[in-house]
Amino acid sequence: MPWYKDKIFWAIFAVAALVKLAALLYVMQSPLGEQLLVFPDSLGYVYPAQTLLSYGQFWEAVSASPMLLRTPGYPVFLALVQFVSGSLTWAVAITQNLLSLLLLVPVYLTTLRLADKNAARWTAGFCAASVLYFSLSFSVLSETLCVFLLAWFVYAALRWLENRQGIFLFLAAALLSAAIYVRPVAYYFAGLSALLLGGLAYREKSRRVLKQSVLFFIGPVILFVGAWQVRNYITAGYGGFTTVAAYNMYIWNEDFVAKEKGIDVAQAHDELLARLPGNFTELSAKKQVKTYKQLAAPLLKQSWKYKLFRVPLWAAKTLLGTNHVHTTRLILARADEPESTLNQTGALPRRWLNSLPDKLIFAVSLLQVMATALLGFIGLGVLFKNRPTAALFLAVYVCYFWGLGSSFLGAYARFRAPFEFVLCITAGIAVSACCKRYRHRCPKDTN
């Protein structure tokens, strides 16, 4: 039976659609209005989207400088939504909720290739139940679009592993490149993927795999991603893809500065900005990046032990974070500080757990996340027994995004978004395998 005739999948899809519709109608009546959807990072995407529509160019937030900190993927998405609908808030939320609903299709199809229909149905259920994807759909932030592209990238990559048809490898290259343009966190996964392809070609002693890797993946990615780097060099004399890595290398020392000086993280953030030269905004992009790195070097040297001991906490926050403050902001219409909504530096959002609704939302979210993570890792083990190459690819994928999302104090649930759908896939495989094992062990009725 073709996948699109699976009535159970479409039942899950329909329930998820109704829940999202009800949530949209509820949230649109919130007394907080459009501010529900806006965060400090939002301006960095909205402003270049507006300059693109008005002047045909991407400018940095509230300036006439070429956009270098952000990449053009999400601003283009916002510009398209605004061009079609005339809105950059509720129309974005509606579109992103549609994307998060359509996300069920690639995760279902991917699981169907790796396991069976029962596993695919469970996967769709896990993905539909994701509290993180639900909440991030209601934000003018780039995660939802990036996750949608990455889910199709994973599907295309696994299809290529299955049949070695070059078209799927080319699609994987195009989709990964698009995801990189939306969120640069995926940038280095292109190089890691190239290494995996090289290792596969070597293991199989296959010239065909090597040729396809170069022609259909490495070459296209270099061309697609390199186009933006050429643009940066022409417009600003900067040959990199984005300046965000240098910025983060410096700014994300704010937790260490806060600890050393006995101040809070927000104050430390302001202090680090104050340490920048007075004419910093007038410097060229190359000099700005050099300044960030020079100022970051002594801080990194002083803080490496502190950061090393913090990695387990950050890894746990990324993997098990509930995005609680954002979720309760949507459901309870609580006007919290936008900076606090997505980034809590403590292990638990204790100061927000004051009421019964808070505790119930937190408990439900934590149970959903823990079940997905636990079953997801069990499912990876099951997959290694049956499809070791595919399992290795998914394991490397999860470890890459989990590792990057756990490398500094900003570690929180938002950074789990690029790999949670993979845990949903392997969780579905785990549940399906458990069901098969249970049915196999059950004695048959002889009456």
Side-chain angles (χ1 to χ4, degrees):
M1 181 178 69
W3 73 270
Y4 52 84
K5 292 185 178 181
D6 186 351
K7 293 181 180 179
I8 294 179
F9 168 73
W10 289 114
I12 295 169
F13 190 94
V15 170
L18 289 174
V19 170
K20 287 183 175 296
L21 178 59
L24 271 168
L25 295 175
Y26 173 78
V27 169
M28 290 177 76
Q29 304 303 315
S30 172
L32 296 180
E34 295 178 345
Q35 291 305 308
L36 272 175
L37 314 175
V38 179
F39 299 89
D41 286 355
S42 299
L43 181 62
Y45 299 113
V46 171
Y47 189 81
Q50 293 176 333
T51 63
L52 176 64
L53 288 171
S54 299
Y55 307 102
Q57 297 179 353
F58 295 105
W59 293 349
E60 205 66 81
V62 197
S63 76
S65 302
M67 183 180 71
L68 296 172
L69 185 66
R70 301 299 179 190
T71 45
Y74 195 59
V76 167
F77 170 78
L78 295 179
L80 286 172
V81 172
Q82 184 174 10
F83 180 78
V84 172
S85 68
S87 171
L88 261 178
T89 49
W90 293 119
V92 171
I94 291 169
T95 306
Q96 290 183 167
N97 271 276
L98 181 60
L99 288 179
S100 69
L101 182 63
L102 293 175
L103 178 64
L104 302 185
V105 175
V107 298
Y108 177 92
L109 292 176
T110 300
T111 313
L112 202 57
R113 291 284 171 178
L114 296 174
D116 54 30
K117 191 167 293 185
N118 190 45
R121 291 164 176 170
W122 278 103
T123 290
F126 277 112
C127 197
S130 171
V131 176
L132 179 63
Y133 291 157
F134 165 80
S135 58
L136 288 177
S137 297
F138 294 95
S139 60
V140 183
L141 295 171
S142 57
E143 275 75 14
T144 300
L145 177 60
C146 184
V147 168
F148 183 75
L149 293 168
L150 286 173
W152 281 110
F153 157 70
V154 167
Y155 172 74
L158 291 174
R159 282 296 304 271
W160 177 79
L161 280 176
E162 183 182 83
N163 56 35
R164 305 300 167 87
Q165 293 180 12
I167 183 62
F168 287 107
L169 196 56
F170 178 78
L171 284 173
L175 288 161
L176 181 59
S177 299
I180 291 169
Y181 272 91
V182 175
R183 284 195 64 77
V185 67
Y187 183 84
Y188 296 106
F189 193 73
L192 188 54
S193 297
L195 289 176
L196 290 174
L197 287 168
L200 182 65
Y202 176 78
R203 191 189 73 179
E204 297 184 354
K205 309 297 181 186
S206 172
R207 290 186 178 180
R208 180 190 179 196
V209 170
L210 184 60
K211 288 180 181 178
Q212 286 194 354
S213 300
V214 174
L215 293 175
F216 297 118
F217 188 83
I218 297 173
V221 168
I222 290 174
L223 289 174
F224 293 147
V225 175
W228 185 249
Q229 296 185 214
V230 171
R231 174 267 185 190
N232 290 344
Y233 185 78
I234 292 173
T235 59
Y238 176 67
F241 188 70
T242 170
T243 60
V244 73
Y247 172 83
N248 287 340
M249 184 186 297
Y250 176 60
I251 290 297
W252 288 118
N253 288 290
E254 56 197 9
D255 61 324
F256 175 72
V257 173
K259 174 182 173 292
E260 290 294 295
K261 292 186 171 283
I263 56 180
D264 62 36
V265 172
Q267 291 173 319
H269 179 86
D270 292 338
E271 178 169 326
L272 287 174
L273 291 178
R275 293 182 188 182
L276 295 172
N279 65 336
F280 182 79
T281 57
E282 300 171 8
L283 299 176
S284 67
K286 186 180 294 185
K287 289 183 178 179
Q288 286 184 0
V289 167
K290 185 178 180 180
T291 301
Y292 280 136
K293 292 180 178 179
Q294 287 175 339
L295 292 174
L299 291 171
L300 293 172
K301 187 176 180 180
Q302 297 166 23
S303 66
W304 71 269
K305 288 184 180 179
Y306 165 80
K307 293 181 184 297
L308 185 63
F309 283 108
R310 300 287 286 182
V311 165
L313 171 63
W314 295 338
K317 285 175 60 182
T318 301
L319 182 64
L320 301 175
T322 60
N323 210 31
H324 176 74
V325 183
H326 184 194
T327 306
T328 52
R329 181 184 179 187
L330 291 169
I331 297 173
L332 305 178
R334 181 175 295 137
D336 291 303
E337 289 287 331
E339 292 83 356
S340 302
T341 301
L342 290 175
N343 184 11
Q344 306 102 46
T345 57
L348 293 171
R350 289 189 183 91
R351 72 184 181 93
W352 288 278
L353 297 177
N354 297 320
S355 66
L356 180 60
D358 282 321
K359 294 175 182 177
L360 286 174
I361 292 169
F362 178 76
V364 170
S365 301
L366 184 61
L367 286 172
Q368 179 267 313
V369 173
M370 290 182 68
T372 302
L374 177 61
L375 291 169
F377 287 115
I378 292 173
L380 266 178
V382 173
L383 192 60
F384 264 111
K385 295 179 181 178
N386 304 318
R387 302 283 295 277
T389 304
L392 177 63
F393 169 71
L394 293 181
V396 170
Y397 179 94
V398 169
C399 289
Y400 170 84
F401 285 104
W402 186 16
L404 284 188
S406 306
S407 58
F408 47 84
L409 94 154
Y412 46 95
R414 183 182 170 193
F415 290 163
R416 187 177 66 252
F419 68 90
E420 183 171 307
F421 73 88
V422 174
L423 294 179
C424 291
I425 290 170
T426 52
I429 292 172
V431 174
S432 179
C434 181
C435 291
K436 285 181 180 178
R437 189 172 183 180
Y438 176 77
R439 285 196 298 266
H440 179 71
R441 287 188 173 185
C442 287
K444 294 183 179 179
D445 188 356
T446 59
N447 293 328

